[in-house]
Amino acid sequence: MTIPNDLQSRAGGIESDEAELRRHIDKVIEALRAKDLEALKQLYTTDVVSFDVEPPLQHVGIAAKLENWAKVYLFFESVTYEVRDLTFTVGDDVAFGHAFARLSGTLKNGAATSGMWVRVTYGMRKINGTWLIAHDQVSVPLDIQSGKGVVDLEP
């Protein structure tokens, strides 16, 4: 079976886009570890919608997203951020991905913390040839019987 050139071209484009998306998440990890809010700002759309682990139910706009990351830096002297099992589904100018992530490091009081694994979903948009995070959601599993989050699970 012969694959039409336009489909072959798009398949190569998808592979290229997926590699770029993975590099984008690597940039997020690097910026978090460096505590570089300006670098993080460049990785999100200005109207990003974030469903983060802390209230309220949604954070809208880049300022709100950066405020969440700034709060992390109030507690952590050094930050480690890990992403595991990152998977993307890629379209022409929209992609979504999911993974497990863990924020850990050394707290301001000197205590080391191993953090907790969370589930993360990314909604990405390609704007002027650049992939940006337009939506993210971070969650922990819920124990329905107790109504409490389960934070001791590992991927």
Side-chain angles (χ1 to χ4, degrees):
M1 180 168 102
T2 303
I3 299 173
N5 285 339
D6 60 333
L7 290 180
Q8 288 178 2
S9 169
R10 185 60 197 133
I14 288 172
E15 290 174 7
S16 175
D17 282 338
E18 184 168 345
E20 182 59 32
L21 288 162
R22 290 179 179 283
R23 284 191 295 274
H24 193 87
I25 300 305
D26 287 343
K27 289 177 188 176
V28 171
I29 294 167
E30 292 166 14
L32 289 172
R33 289 179 177 170
K35 298 200 254 180
D36 188 343
L37 290 175
E38 191 55 40
L40 283 168
K41 183 178 182 179
Q42 307 307 311
L43 303 173
Y44 293 88
T45 61
T46 57
D47 60 348
V48 61
V49 175
S50 180
F51 296 168
D52 219 329
V53 290
E54 73 177 57
L57 287 174
Q58 71 176 2
H59 306 263
V60 179
I62 190 63
K65 184 63 188 177
L66 294 177
E67 186 177 321
N68 278 0
W69 286 126
K71 287 178 190 174
V72 168
Y73 303 146
L74 291 176
F75 298 101
F76 281 86
E77 185 64 36
S78 66
V79 174
T80 301
Y81 193 74
E82 300 171 70
V83 175
R84 282 195 192 165
D85 302 333
L86 180 61
T87 302
F88 279 105
T89 300
V90 183
D92 289 337
D93 57 1
V94 176
F96 70 89
H98 55 85
F100 300 107
R102 176 170 62 179
L103 179 71
S104 60
T106 304
L107 301 174
K108 294 279 186 173
N109 67 9
T113 177
S114 61
M116 65 179 178
W117 286 101
V118 295
R119 304 170 297 194
V120 61
T121 302
Y122 300 105
M124 312 287 289
R125 290 179 49 212
K126 188 187 258 187
I127 301 172
N128 297 324
T130 301
W131 286 104
L132 297 171
I133 301 170
H135 174 72
D136 65 6
Q137 178 167 341
V138 179
S139 66
V140 296
L142 176 70
D143 175 53
I144 294 175
Q145 190 170 19
S146 71
K148 296 182 180 179
V150 181
V151 296
D152 61 348
L153 301 176
E154 294 194 26

